[in-house]
Amino acid sequence: MEVPQSPKLLDRVRQAIRFRHLSRKIEKSYLYYIQDFILFHQKRHPREMGVTEVRVYSVALANCSSRSC
């Protein structure tokens, strides 16, 4: 007997966005930044991270956008 797995993070985000009737463009943007955040932190799950990691990522985005990385 298989134990049902809970939906993966990005699938849950998609469900939440669609439940709120947000546009596909917003969905695409949210998913991009969530994936980028995870990859930026060497594929750590967001559940393992906190405010510090969000700040580090935000600063990196700000620095990158001001220099067109």
Side-chain angles (χ1 to χ4, degrees):
M1 182 171 170
E2 273 187 45
V3 177
Q5 292 182 350
S6 62
K8 295 189 180 233
L9 174 67
L10 296 179
D11 292 332
R12 291 193 333 245
V13 171
R14 273 188 203 93
Q15 288 174 347
I17 289 170
R18 291 175 184 178
F19 178 78
R20 291 171 176 83
H21 303 289
L22 300 176
S23 74
R24 296 291 180 169
K25 190 173 181 180
I26 290 174
E27 177 181 333
K28 186 176 177 181
S29 180
Y30 279 29
L31 293 173
Y32 169 81
Y33 281 105
I34 291 168
Q35 289 173 335
D36 192 52
F37 175 76
I38 292 168
L39 292 174
F40 181 82
H41 289 291
Q42 289 75 43
K43 297 185 179 182
R44 287 175 55 204
H45 195 282
R47 184 183 318 117
E48 302 169 1
M49 297 185 270
V51 174
T52 304
E53 288 83 3
V54 173
R55 285 186 182 140
V56 169
Y57 179 70
S58 297
V59 168
L61 280 180
N63 288 338
C64 190
S65 66
S66 68
R67 288 187 267 147
S68 300
C69 292

